[in-house]
Amino acid sequence: MPLMGAPANRLRYKGPMTELTVPTPLETVDLTMTDGAIIRLRRHGNPDGPRLILAHGNGFATDAYFPFWQLLMDDYDLILYDQRNHGHNPRHDDISHHDITYFVSDMDSVLNGIENTFGTKPTAGLFHSISAVTAVWHALTVGWRWNALVLFDPPLVPSPGHPLNEIAKSFELLLSDWSKTRPYRFSNPETLAEQFAGSKSLSRWVPGSHALMARSILREDTETGEWVLCCPPEGESQVYKTNSELHLCPQFGDIPGPLKVIASDPDDPNVRSPGLINQALNEEFKHAYEAVPGTTHMVQIEQPDACVKIVNDFFSEVGFGP
């Protein structure tokens, strides 16, 4: 889900901003995907703990979820990665490969690379938004490779004929159209951070998150001195369009392992389609599910403490954890 904010929802930002600093990784490893794209792993936390693998939503970067995953560092061995062309990863030349099909293949390559590099151990996945959709598709097509899986507000789209199909599909296509023309260049990260901080729809984020998000999704263009989005807008748009046509919901009950969905508040008037879809999926399939009151799609950045508690409680229930 992108960082949208219509002009009517703008608030005037009044600084200064709180500073959030992601620590230096314990280790960094570059993996080469099947088509030559590079994905950079970063290891944080406790190497002796159970392993958690984390990734992010479309157009975002995993560093920006630091308010959430910093609370897991004492007990867990964290492996962070960004989807291709996001965050720390170098740009891959073939933008036609920037799509969910390749995200699924990348997830399998990442899992293999982690085991080859760091060894095997009990492992859970914590994935937000499009990486959660990726994890669902991976589990259904490649196979179950987790001790537990936690999905944060996956923007799944029900099949045609479902009462929520048109709502979910229309929203994904709206995002696809928007992302094609989103601003791409900025004079500095602070400019983008102030835009985020001034958006009413992003006002629930914990202090410091707007600046951290801006730093995490931009990189400097050394030729011009400007800052550009790591994720190319045409690639972001392509992902939303593909997601609008996936229709994985009927197979959701076929996921074989311990699974929990942590969702945005479906009763909040500002919540978009993922909160409604995840409530409906829970009613149909009865999997472990919890909506965090008062949250929108960026649930981990809005209520990190609540999310960590739900994660740890779920891990205790399924026998996973320190």
Side-chain angles (χ1 to χ4, degrees):
M1 211 60 59
L3 304 167
M4 298 179 68
N9 287 335
R10 302 297 295 178
L11 302 174
R12 188 162 70 178
Y13 166 68
K14 296 179 181 179
M17 291 186 181
T18 300
E19 181 77 13
L20 287 174
T21 302
V22 175
T24 301
L26 302 175
E27 296 181 69
T28 301
V29 177
D30 283 0
L31 301 178
T32 303
M33 302 296 102
T34 56
D35 63 346
I38 300 297
I39 286 186
R40 183 160 296 150
L41 308 180
R42 289 97 62 204
R43 191 182 200 185
H44 292 273
N46 178 2
D48 296 324
R51 177 178 294 146
L52 303 182
I53 301 175
L54 296 87
H56 57 86
N58 194 20
F60 298 157
T62 309
D63 277 2
Y65 297 73
F66 177 63
F68 165 73
W69 57 258
Q70 68 171 331
L71 304 175
L72 298 164
M73 292 176 64
D74 287 345
D75 295 323
Y76 296 98
D77 183 12
L78 307 183
I79 308 293
L80 279 55
Y81 80 95
D82 302 309
Q83 307 281 14
R84 58 173 56 214
N85 295 319
H86 288 79
H88 287 266
N89 302 322
R91 180 69 59 86
H92 184 58
D93 290 337
D94 194 341
I95 295 301
S96 69
H97 289 191
H98 185 106
D99 209 353
I100 309 176
T101 302
Y102 284 90
F103 291 178
V104 171
S105 173
D106 292 347
M107 179 171 281
D108 208 53
S109 295
V110 164
L111 288 170
N112 292 334
I114 289 171
E115 290 186 353
N116 292 337
T117 304
F118 303 116
T120 59
K121 65 162 64 175
T123 299
L126 277 66
F127 299 112
H128 174 244
S129 196
I130 205 64
S131 67
V133 173
T134 300
V136 170
W137 201 4
H138 178 272
L140 293 172
T141 57
V142 180
W144 180 260
R145 298 190 59 181
W146 311 99
N147 292 91
L149 189 59
V150 180
L151 308 178
F152 290 90
D153 217 32
L156 295 160
V157 177
S159 300
H162 190 284
L164 293 174
N165 167 260
E166 192 57 38
I167 291 174
K169 181 177 181 179
S170 296
F171 187 54
E172 293 300 302
L173 293 177
L174 172 69
L175 297 177
S176 180
D177 289 341
W178 169 82
S179 56
K180 290 177 187 175
T181 57
R182 68 178 298 183
Y184 178 67
R185 294 182 174 274
F186 301 86
S187 57
N188 51 55
E190 291 74 22
T191 300
L192 181 57
E194 289 182 6
Q195 292 179 18
F196 291 163
S199 171
K200 183 177 180 180
S201 63
L202 309 181
S203 62
R204 305 182 195 190
W205 292 13
V206 298
S209 297
H210 302 98
L212 178 60
M213 178 65 77
R215 297 196 306 272
S216 300
I217 67 173
L218 294 175
R219 62 166 55 104
E220 188 174 12
D221 183 337
T222 55
E223 293 184 1
T224 66
E226 295 178 302
W227 291 75
V228 300
L229 293 172
C230 299
C231 175
E234 61 269 33
E236 182 179 358
S237 175
Q238 189 167 257
V239 168
Y240 288 123
K241 185 174 187 305
T242 299
N243 190 44
S244 75
E245 302 165 348
L246 274 185
H247 306 148
L248 298 173
C249 290
Q251 305 172 66
F252 197 77
D254 297 335
I255 298 173
L259 167 76
K260 180 145 193 175
V261 172
I262 301 176
S264 54
D265 185 350
D267 298 321
D268 190 290
N270 294 308
V271 162
R272 303 297 184 107
S273 67
L276 303 175
I277 301 305
N278 285 302
Q279 181 185 51
L281 283 173
N282 173 250
E283 292 171 354
E284 181 174 356
F285 294 108
K286 310 302 181 186
H287 56 275
Y289 161 89
E290 190 164 344
V292 182
T295 60
T296 65
H297 186 60
M298 299 304 291
V299 54
Q300 294 148 284
I301 298 178
E302 295 174 346
Q303 293 287 340
D305 294 273
C307 288
V308 166
K309 183 181 185 308
I310 296 170
V311 167
N312 282 326
D313 288 348
F314 173 61
F315 286 165
S316 294
E317 292 170 9
V318 300
F320 178 88

